[in-house]
Amino acid sequence: MNKMTRFIFGGGWSVERRASGLRLSLTLALTLALTLAASTLNAQPDPNFYIFLCFGQSNMEGAARPEAQDLSSPGPRFLLMPAVDFPATATAPARKMGEWCEAAAPLCRPNTGLTPADYFGRTLIEQLPANIRVGIIHVAIGGIRIEGFMPDSIANYVKTAPGWMKGMLEAYGNNPYERLVTLAKKAQKDGVIKGVLMHQGESNTGEADWAQKVQSVYDHLLGDLQLKPEEVPLLAGEVVQADGEGQCIRMNAQIDELPKTLHTAHVVSSTGCTNGPDRLHFDVDGYRELGRRYAEKMLTLMGFPVRSPFAVPADAFTAETTIPGQEFPKVDREGRAYFRVQAPQAHRVQVDICGKKYDMRRDEQGLWCAVTDPLVVGFHYYFLNMGGQNVIDPNTDVFFGCNRQAGGIEIPEGSEGDYYRPQQGVAHGQVRSISYFASSTSEWRHALVYTPAEYEKGKKKYPVLYLQHGMGEDETGWSRQGHMQHIMDNLISSGEAVPMIVVMESGDVKAPFRGGDNRQGFSEYGASFYKVLLNDLIPYIDKNFRTKADREYRAMAGLSWGGHQTFDVVLTHKELFSYMGAFSGAIFGLDVKTAYDGVFSRPEEFNKQMHCLYLSCGSEENFGTEALVKSLREAGINTQFYVSEGTHHEWLTWRRSLRNFLPLLFK
C-alpha cells in the first residue's frame, strides 16, 4: 500500500508521514479510482458520430471492381466497423471485426466490390459539418433472400441455402442478422444510429409479401437496438433498370410501394444508374451515383441542405462564353463553374478542364450535371469526356485551342479586367478576315487584320504589329480568347497607345509538335511560316492596307511558341523590324554569346537597331523568362520585363502582357 501511495502522489508522500496524512492519501486514492470508474461507466456516445446500418444482397455487397479513387480512405471522418476480419494487403492494413477503422473499398468482406455505402459515406462527410463523423456497419450476401435477415427464418434458411452461399453465411456465423445487431450494439457506445440502408429484392422479385418481410426485419432491428422509428428511417434502393431491360426490374414496382407498408421507409431511385453487362448489377459509376442518392436522401431527412450539381446557387450567372439563349455553363461568385448536358444514352460523362476531370451526375431524365472547384479568373479550355472521347459542350462557344476546336469558359475578373472589355464611349476598330495567296507555299491562307476605328476616315498610314499566338492555337486566338481588339481600342482611346494595324496569322503551329530541331534560328516546327510572312504576308499587307512600310514602323510579338517564332524571324531580319516582344516565350537554352550569329554579343549595335525588346511571363508559370531577362541584361541588352502576378501559362497572362507592351510601340 505504501508503494502504491508513493506512486500515485509522488515522492513527497511516504510511510514516515504521520497516520493522518497516510489516511488522507488513501482516501484520495480511493476517490480518484472511483471517479475514473464512474467516468468510464457513464461515458456517453458522441452525438456527432452518425452510424448507419447497411444490409442486403449482391448490389449492397458490391459486384463491381473498385478503381484507384475508391481504394484510398477519404480520412478519419468516414469509418467502418468491419463485420468480418480483413487480412492486410499490399495497399491496406489488416482490419479487425468490431474495431473502427478508416473506410475504403471494399467495405463488405475481402474481395468484394464497390458498394453504394462507399459513396453514401463519402458524400455525407463532404456535405455534413466538419465536426460530424460517419460510421458504417455493413453486412451483405450475394443472392440472399430477405428471409436470410429475418430472425425467425434464418436457421431454416441457412439449412436450405445453395452451396455457393455457404461460405458467405459462415463468414457471419451463419446468422447475418445477429452479426449486424451485435456490432450495432457495440457501435451504440460510440455514436448514434441514424439510419438503415437496404438494397435487396432481386431474390424475392414478384413476391407479394416482400414488404411485410422487410418490415419484420426493420422492426426487429428497432426493438433489439431500442431505436425509435421516427429517428431511424429505412432507405431502400431500386434495382438495376438497364433502360427497361434489367433482369429484376419488375421488383422496382414493389420497392416503390414499400413506404405504403413501412411508413418510415424511403425509396432511392436507380433511374439512370449505369450497370454491367449482366443487367443485374451496377457498374462502378452506377454504384457511385446510387450511393450519392442514398446520401442526398438521408441528408434531406436529417434536415441538412444538399449541395449537388443539380443545386445551383442563386448568385450563379450564365458565363459570357455560353451560347446566347442557353442557360449553362454558369459561374458563381467564388469561381465555381456549373455544367449541364442532356445525354440520356451516355454511360459516363466528365468535364475535363485543362486536364482536371470532374465526374458529372445523371438525373432520372438523362440530364448530366457537374460543378467544379473554384477556378482561377481568366479563360479556360474545356471538353466533355464521353466514353473516353473528348467532345465539345454544345452549350458553349467554340475556340481553337489544344490543337483542335474546343469549348471555353471565362471566369471573370472584377473591374481590373475592364481593359480587355468593350467600353461605352470608346470608338471600336474592326477585325477583318482576309484570304491571300502565298506563292512561297502555293496555297491560299487566312489571316485576321485589326484596323483602328479611325482607319475608315481619311488617308493616314499606320504602323503594323504582326502578332502571333501559341502552339496548338490559330489566328483567331488573339481576337477570341485574347480580346486583342478591345485592349487596342481602349488603349488608343486613352492615348496610351498609338493607332496601329495588327495582323494575326496561324503561323503553321495548329497541329501538335512532333519533334525535330527547334533550336533558336534552326526551328522546324512552324518554320514554314517564316517564308510566308516575309515573302507573302508582309507584302500583301503593305499593298492592301495603308501602312508605313518601313522597319521603324513594324513590330512582331507572340505568346509562347509565337514568342519563339518572333525571335527566329526578327533576330534574323532586323532590317524589317525594330520592335519585338515575347509573352511567356518558348525560348529555352538560349546562349546570349552565340545565338542568332552572336547578335546579343554586340549590345551597342543591337540596342541602336531594336527600339524595344519586351519579355513577359506569369509569376506562377516558371517558363524560364526571368533567367533569360537576367542573361540579356548582363550582356548589356536593353530589355523591358513584365511579370503578371498570380497567373500561369494562360490567356490572362498574355492579355496583361499585350496591354503593357502596346504603349511601348512606335513612339
Side-chain angles (χ1 to χ4, degrees):
M1 182 64 70
N2 293 339
K3 292 180 180 179
M4 181 63 71
T5 302
R6 288 194 185 98
F7 174 77
I8 295 176
F9 296 100
W13 291 88
S14 69
V15 292
E16 285 76 24
R17 297 285 185 178
R18 61 182 181 269
S20 60
L22 181 59
R23 286 194 297 273
L24 176 61
S25 69
L26 291 172
T27 301
L28 288 172
L30 180 60
T31 300
L32 178 61
L34 290 173
T35 300
L36 290 173
S39 175
T40 301
L41 290 172
N42 295 327
Q44 296 297 311
D46 180 359
N48 292 320
F49 184 21
Y50 293 179
I51 297 167
F52 299 90
L53 311 182
C54 306
F55 77 94
Q57 56 186 108
S58 55
N59 273 312
M60 181 59 78
E61 182 183 66
R65 183 182 298 276
E67 296 177 342
Q69 63 181 299
D70 313 312
L71 296 173
S72 59
S73 163
R77 289 182 58 213
F78 181 27
L79 302 177
L80 170 72
M81 179 179 281
V84 299
D85 290 335
F86 284 69
T89 67
T91 58
R95 302 174 181 176
K96 187 171 179 59
M97 181 179 68
E99 295 184 3
W100 292 112
C101 62
E102 291 189 4
L107 300 181
C108 187
R109 296 187 310 280
N111 302 316
T112 55
L114 194 67
T115 162
D118 281 282
Y119 278 78
F120 169 79
R122 289 172 185 261
T123 303
L124 285 185
I125 64 169
E126 287 175 0
Q127 303 208 28
L128 286 169
N131 64 319
I132 295 177
R133 296 177 297 154
V134 172
I136 296 291
I137 301 174
H138 194 283
V139 175
I141 295 175
I144 195 169
R145 294 173 59 84
I146 193 64
E147 289 82 357
F149 291 98
M150 297 172 62
D152 298 336
S153 304
I154 291 173
N156 288 333
Y157 184 80
V158 170
K159 292 177 183 178
T160 59
W164 52 264
M165 192 184 292
K166 297 289 188 183
M168 293 183 281
L169 287 165
E170 290 171 359
Y172 298 117
N174 285 320
N175 196 326
Y177 174 85
E178 183 61 33
R179 180 65 55 85
L180 185 64
V181 169
T182 298
L183 296 180
K185 288 180 178 179
K186 184 176 182 180
Q188 283 180 304
K189 299 176 182 178
D190 303 315
V192 181
I193 296 175
K194 287 286 188 176
V196 179
L197 278 61
M198 180 188 76
H199 198 283
Q200 200 280 332
E202 293 96 332
S203 296
N204 295 86
T205 301
E207 296 181 5
D209 59 350
W210 175 80
Q212 287 77 19
K213 292 177 179 178
V214 171
Q215 181 170 18
S216 172
V217 177
Y218 177 73
D219 289 345
H220 275 93
L221 283 172
L222 297 184
D224 289 340
L225 299 173
Q226 300 181 26
L227 301 171
K228 298 178 180 179
E230 62 272 16
E231 296 177 355
V232 186
L234 172 74
L235 271 58
E238 291 183 336
V239 302
V240 165
Q241 298 195 27
D243 296 324
E245 297 183 0
Q247 292 280 10
C248 300
I249 194 171
R250 291 188 300 114
M251 189 64 194
N252 283 339
Q254 294 176 256
I255 295 172
D256 294 344
E257 295 289 320
L258 180 61
K260 293 183 178 180
T261 300
L262 181 56
H263 301 303
T264 53
H266 302 268
V267 176
V268 178
S269 172
S270 67
T271 300
C273 292
T274 52
N275 54 272
D278 62 3
R279 294 180 286 115
L280 181 64
H281 298 103
F282 299 99
D283 61 12
V284 285
D285 292 311
Y287 283 119
R288 293 183 189 120
E289 176 59 25
L290 189 62
R292 293 184 188 108
R293 294 182 185 180
Y294 271 101
E296 289 168 1
K297 178 71 72 173
M298 186 61 69
L299 285 165
T300 300
L301 294 173
M302 293 189 298
F304 290 98
V306 177
R307 301 191 308 274
S308 79
F310 304 102
V312 180
D315 68 358
F317 52 91
T318 300
E320 64 183 74
T321 41
T322 300
I323 290 176
Q326 297 291 346
E327 185 179 2
F328 289 86
K330 284 189 171 185
V331 180
D332 70 18
R333 298 299 176 186
E334 294 184 358
R336 295 182 181 86
Y338 298 80
F339 299 90
R340 290 188 178 181
V341 61
Q342 192 74 35
Q345 302 302 316
H347 190 69
R348 183 182 189 184
V349 184
Q350 295 175 303
V351 178
D352 184 342
I353 301 182
C354 300
K356 182 167 184 178
K357 294 180 180 179
Y358 298 86
D359 287 328
M360 299 192 78
R361 295 276 308 279
R362 186 191 192 279
D363 75 1
E364 298 176 14
Q365 285 72 48
L367 180 68
W368 294 82
C369 302
V371 58
T372 69
D373 299 328
L375 302 172
V376 297
V377 296
F379 179 85
H380 301 261
Y381 294 113
Y382 81 93
F383 296 94
L384 299 181
N385 189 285
M386 295 186 178
Q389 177 64 45
N390 279 346
V391 298
I392 300 171
D393 182 352
N395 300 312
T396 183
D397 274 340
V398 178
F399 306 84
F400 196 92
C402 310
N403 307 111
R404 55 166 293 182
Q405 297 289 352
I409 187 168
E410 186 80 30
I411 307 300
E413 289 186 281
S415 59
E416 67 271 24
D418 285 347
Y419 71 91
Y420 60 78
R421 299 185 181 113
Q423 301 295 320
Q424 289 185 346
V426 170
H428 301 294
Q430 298 180 16
V431 177
R432 308 175 183 221
S433 174
I434 65 167
S435 295
Y436 68 100
F437 187 78
S439 299
S440 300
T441 54
S442 298
E443 63 180 344
W444 284 95
R445 297 179 67 102
H446 180 249
L448 296 178
V449 180
Y450 166 84
T451 54
E454 64 179 47
Y455 184 84
E456 304 305 315
K457 305 171 184 178
K459 298 180 179 181
K460 178 180 175 180
K461 293 185 177 182
Y462 296 87
V464 183
L465 166 63
Y466 290 85
L467 185 61
Q468 293 304 118
H469 56 85
M471 182 185 299
E473 293 165 333
D474 73 357
E475 65 273 20
T476 65
W478 269 112
S479 60
R480 298 292 313 287
Q481 294 94 292
H483 303 307
M484 173 280 307
Q485 66 276 27
H486 304 316
I487 298 173
M488 195 80 256
D489 291 338
N490 294 332
L491 289 177
I492 292 173
S493 177
S494 66
E496 295 177 75
V498 302
M500 68 185 77
I501 293 170
V502 183
V503 181
M504 297 155 282
E505 224 268 15
S506 74
D508 295 343
V509 292
K510 294 169 66 173
F513 175 67
R514 294 189 175 91
D517 190 348
N518 277 291
R519 292 172 294 159
Q520 287 78 22
F522 298 91
S523 297
E524 295 179 18
Y525 180 67
S528 56
F529 171 62
Y530 300 166
K531 57 185 178 181
V532 171
L533 173 66
L534 300 171
N535 301 329
D536 301 296
L537 183 57
I538 291 176
Y540 177 90
I541 296 298
D542 287 341
K543 180 180 179 181
N544 291 277
F545 292 83
R546 299 195 309 274
T547 68
K548 293 182 177 181
D550 183 274
R551 72 174 300 275
E552 293 295 312
Y553 300 98
R554 191 179 292 123
M556 184 174 180
L559 68 89
S560 193
W561 199 261
H564 183 110
Q565 291 182 309
T566 297
F567 265 55
D568 278 1
V569 171
V570 174
L571 295 177
T572 55
H573 294 87
K574 295 188 296 298
E575 75 280 4
L576 296 176
F577 301 89
S578 60
Y579 298 84
M580 62 183 295
F583 318 150
S584 311
I587 305 159
F588 309 117
L590 184 144
D591 186 339
V592 296
K593 296 179 181 179
T594 62
Y596 301 106
D597 294 326
V599 66
F600 297 123
S601 65
R602 303 181 294 276
E604 291 184 6
E605 176 186 327
F606 181 87
N607 292 336
K608 184 178 180 180
Q609 288 182 308
M610 197 59 55
H611 302 323
C612 178
L613 167 58
Y614 173 93
L615 299 177
S616 67
C617 63
S619 63
E620 308 304 307
E621 62 180 312
N622 300 316
F623 222 56
T625 305
E626 187 172 0
L628 176 59
V629 170
K630 182 175 182 292
S631 65
L632 288 169
R633 286 176 172 174
E634 289 176 348
I637 302 298
N638 294 337
T639 309
Q640 299 283 342
F641 182 41
Y642 167 74
V643 176
S644 169
E645 289 298 328
T647 59
H648 292 257
H649 200 69
E650 57 176 294
W651 274 106
L652 193 53
T653 296
W654 307 323
R655 293 173 187 169
R656 292 175 178 176
S657 296
L658 182 65
R659 188 258 176 271
N660 285 276
F661 176 60
L662 291 172
L664 304 176
L665 300 181
F666 312 124
K667 293 183 178 180

